[in-house]
Amino acid sequence: MKTVGKLLDEKITLEGMFTTVLRTCVKDGRYLLSTQNNGCDTVKSPMGLFDSAEIDNDLSFVDAALCDYYQLTPSQHTTGALA
């Protein structure tokens, strides 16, 4: 992700503004999403949101997991590309 300005690049990490940051990875020909930091990236998710460190690359599963975790109903979150 790109930012504008040297001060912003040095002082603020965009990942720090979110509670969930996922990263794609490919293992054995499968496309996955990494959910936990491996020490070399900025991936993170709240404890208990996902059962494993890697999940299938399925955004509707991620959306459903987030809605369940934060106890959101369809009227409380926006519908759009993931709906």
Side-chain angles (χ1 to χ4, degrees):
M1 187 166 295
K2 299 286 185 184
T3 60
V4 292
K6 186 176 177 182
L7 181 64
L8 186 60
D9 287 341
E10 291 177 359
K11 303 296 181 192
I12 296 175
T13 59
L14 294 177
E15 298 90 346
M17 298 181 163
F18 299 93
T19 57
T20 304
V21 177
L22 305 176
R23 179 174 177 257
T24 60
C25 61
V26 180
K27 285 194 177 175
D28 300 323
R30 293 182 57 218
Y31 291 88
L32 305 168
L33 293 172
S34 178
T35 65
Q36 297 173 4
N37 190 312
N38 65 9
C40 297
D41 57 26
T42 57
V43 173
K44 62 182 178 175
S45 62
M47 290 177 60
L49 178 59
F50 301 109
D51 293 334
S52 62
E54 294 171 343
I55 59 172
D56 286 333
N57 189 349
D58 180 356
L59 291 180
S60 49
F61 171 76
V62 172
D63 182 51
L66 288 167
C67 288
D68 184 53
Y69 185 83
Y70 291 108
Q71 299 176 353
L72 299 173
T73 60
S75 63
Q76 290 177 308
H77 74 284
T78 59
T79 57
L82 298 179

